Amino acid sequence: LYRKRLIVMRLQYFLAKRFIYNKNKKGKTTKRKGVRIATFGIAIGLAVMIISVCVVIGFKKEVSAQVVGFGSHIQILSYDSSSSFDRKPISVDNPTRLNISQMPEVDRVEYIVTKPGIIKTDDNFKAVVFKGVDSSYDWRFFRKNLIEGNIPDFGKSDDKNKMIISDKLAKQLKIGLGDEVFAYFFQQQVRARKFKVSGIYSTTYSDFDNLFVLCRSQEIQTLNGWDSTSVSAVEITLKNFDRLDETANDIQALVGNRFDKNKLLYNTQTIKELYPQIFNWLDMLDTNAYIILVLMMAVAGFNMISGLLIIILERTQTIGVLKALGMSNRQIREVFVINAMFFVVRGMLWGNIVGLLIVVCQYFLHIIPLDPEYYYTNFVPVSIDIVWIAALNVGVFVISVLIMLLPSHIITKISPAKSIRFE
């Protein structure tokens, strides 16, 4: 029985392979038109799917990295903060900071102080937010986006009055590297501080570029009359953005319903809660990607069905002969399903090659530009996720084979007596 089944399978494979090709009048073997149509449809459909997934993942990573670079993943602040940047001070003791730092998903924990102010020059002025950091601050994000100057060392007394400003603010205020400017802060009375431009950075997120100036935290603490342990917020950066909500719950469980030394209640906010409009927009990209995947699968499925129907109609006489020789409907259907798998695999191979080639070119060459004012990046970002691409390939293959079962059902309706006379 096993040998008989093996012989039938070999025959089915032989017939399926022969059905792909056709001989012209000159005796030259070429692929059938239906096979080429189906292969092309699958290749284009899968290529578009791969590009869509890589672009969506790239957009989410790039935009998230920009926002997190300015505000971290999670912040601990006071419930009684009067505004988003002019906050009441909190104090987090060292044991609590150590417990947070030792969480497996936490990369670093940093203290920051923020205060709104105005930078004034002879010709212009601009309202900004001064973000005070200490000597242990992680400058990787700003070092990556630094276009002029250098990062100050706030541990040195010579750098205590230095600041980093964005390229957009520098152009608006007409100041450059090494210039000294006065900043004014409004409290019970107007207070002024002189700062020197040490570095100029530029990101693709203009809203933040037009807002943040970085300086030494002690300068802002002195202005507010705070001691060295009082800060506006504690910024917590994670190793994995996907674990944001889970880690935020763990931190909330650690500091929630607790008071600091000033009797202020701790509040925990994620970057998604601080900037919901940005992450809601990113979530909408997922919906767009799903729509594209469904449409491309529908187009590819239509082409596959059309291609297989063409092959079946071209082989109507052959089907009649095979039935007359004793092959069952099931065995003949298997021949055409195997036949379909040939061009499905070939189409998927070309789809992967074309899709990944376009993605790699965009990744290194940035061929397609964007307006950063609207998209928060100056080119279409892409990211290759092997797991997603593998899942996409498996899904396309399984769905394609299932789609092939529908047109192959027509074989059961073909009569041997009529089909042998069919032209």
Side-chain angles (χ1 to χ4, degrees):
L1 184 63
Y2 173 77
R3 290 184 61 187
K4 182 179 178 181
R5 178 60 181 165
L6 185 61
I7 292 171
V8 172
M9 288 179 63
R10 287 179 178 176
L11 176 61
Q12 291 170 338
Y13 179 83
F14 172 77
L15 291 172
K17 194 172 182 180
R18 288 293 300 272
F19 288 173
I20 292 177
Y21 300 98
N22 191 19
K23 284 188 178 181
N24 56 22
K25 294 180 180 179
K26 296 180 180 180
K28 188 177 179 180
T29 302
T30 58
K31 284 190 180 68
R32 294 183 177 277
K33 186 180 293 185
V35 173
R36 292 199 297 269
I37 292 172
T39 304
F40 179 78
I42 296 168
I44 293 298
L46 183 57
V48 172
M49 292 180 196
I50 290 173
I51 294 169
S52 300
V53 169
C54 291
V55 168
V56 169
I57 296 174
F59 251 115
K60 298 184 79 169
K61 284 186 176 180
E62 181 69 21
V63 176
S64 298
Q66 295 283 345
V67 180
V68 170
F70 283 100
S72 75
H73 292 98
I74 302 169
Q75 290 190 11
I76 301 175
L77 41 93
S78 168
Y79 264 116
D80 298 329
S81 295
S82 58
S83 71
S84 58
F85 296 112
D86 192 9
R87 298 165 176 164
K88 289 188 176 182
I90 60 169
S91 178
V92 178
D93 54 47
N94 287 330
T96 302
R97 178 176 182 172
L98 183 62
N99 289 334
I100 295 173
S101 301
Q102 291 176 343
M103 290 182 176
E105 294 298 329
V106 173
D107 183 29
R108 63 183 186 271
V109 180
E110 295 167 326
Y111 296 148
I112 62 134
V113 185
T114 57
K115 188 173 183 64
I118 291 177
I119 296 178
K120 187 180 183 304
T121 62
D122 294 337
D123 302 320
N124 207 343
F125 66 92
K126 185 71 177 178
V128 297
V129 172
F130 284 83
K131 181 176 180 178
V133 299
D134 58 25
S135 57
S136 64
Y137 186 74
D138 190 328
W139 290 101
R140 281 179 294 180
F141 173 76
F142 288 97
R143 188 173 285 111
K144 175 185 174 183
N145 293 283
L146 198 70
I147 59 174
E148 284 187 75
N150 53 65
I151 302 296
D153 183 358
F154 290 137
K156 296 180 179 179
S157 58
D158 293 341
D159 289 354
K160 67 179 182 179
N161 70 329
K162 290 185 177 180
M163 69 177 186
I164 296 178
I165 193 170
S166 74
D167 183 53
K168 289 183 175 64
L169 283 174
K171 289 178 178 177
Q172 291 173 13
L173 295 169
K174 298 179 181 178
I175 58 177
L177 206 61
D179 289 348
E180 294 184 340
V181 295
F182 280 95
Y184 298 90
F185 303 88
F186 296 88
Q187 297 173 216
Q188 294 169 341
Q189 59 182 3
V190 178
R191 305 183 70 176
R193 287 289 187 276
K194 184 194 291 186
F195 291 95
K196 183 178 181 179
V197 179
S198 169
I200 298 176
Y201 71 89
S202 178
T203 72
T204 54
Y205 196 175
S206 60
D207 289 348
F208 285 164
D209 279 10
N210 289 325
L211 186 63
F212 284 107
V213 173
L214 280 84
C215 64
R216 193 173 75 142
S217 59
Q218 189 175 343
E219 300 300 312
I220 309 300
Q221 288 171 328
T222 302
L223 278 168
N224 289 335
W226 298 352
D227 60 32
S228 59
T229 63
S230 298
V231 295
S232 299
V234 178
E235 290 190 342
I236 302 165
T237 306
L238 307 182
K239 300 174 184 176
N240 187 355
F241 188 89
D242 295 333
R243 302 294 297 276
L244 176 65
D245 295 331
E246 181 181 338
T247 308
N249 291 334
D250 293 339
I251 294 173
Q252 179 62 29
L254 180 65
V255 303
N257 299 320
R258 286 183 53 191
F259 295 87
D260 69 351
K261 67 178 184 179
N262 299 316
K263 307 301 180 183
L264 291 174
L265 189 64
Y266 292 130
N267 181 28
T268 302
Q269 284 189 315
T270 66
I271 196 70
K272 290 182 179 180
E273 294 169 336
L274 289 169
Y275 303 103
Q277 70 282 3
I278 297 174
F279 290 94
N280 288 339
W281 173 67
L282 292 177
D283 289 339
M284 288 178 62
L285 293 179
D286 290 337
T287 304
N288 294 339
Y290 293 141
I291 293 173
I292 291 173
L293 293 180
V294 172
L295 289 176
M296 289 299 101
M297 194 65 244
V299 171
F302 177 79
N303 286 328
M304 286 186 290
I305 292 173
S306 300
L308 191 57
L309 283 174
I310 292 171
I311 295 171
I312 291 172
L313 291 175
E314 288 178 343
R315 293 293 178 174
T316 302
Q317 286 184 328
T318 306
I319 293 171
V321 172
L322 292 175
K323 283 190 174 186
L325 292 174
M327 285 191 73
S328 65
N329 287 325
R330 181 173 176 273
Q331 291 171 338
I332 298 174
R333 289 181 67 183
E334 289 175 356
V335 170
F336 285 94
V337 171
I338 294 171
N339 177 274
M341 289 174 65
F342 282 136
F343 59 75
V344 167
V345 172
R346 186 180 293 272
M348 289 177 61
L349 177 62
W350 280 107
N352 278 281
I353 292 172
V354 172
L356 290 175
L357 183 62
I358 293 173
V359 169
V360 170
C361 289
Q362 178 62 24
Y363 182 85
F364 288 104
L365 303 178
H366 303 161
I367 299 170
I368 306 174
L370 289 176
D371 187 347
E373 292 291 330
Y374 299 100
Y375 297 100
Y376 310 119
T377 177
N378 49 19
F379 61 90
V380 175
V382 292
S383 177
I384 299 176
D385 190 312
I386 300 299
V387 175
W388 263 101
I389 292 175
L392 201 59
N393 276 272
V394 172
V396 168
F397 181 78
V398 172
I399 293 173
S400 298
V401 173
L402 293 176
I403 288 174
M404 290 300 101
L405 297 177
L406 181 62
S408 67
H409 185 71
I410 297 174
I411 294 168
T412 62
K413 308 297 183 183
I414 295 175
S415 170
K418 293 181 180 180
S419 61
I420 292 174
R421 296 194 303 269
F422 178 80
E423 294 189 13

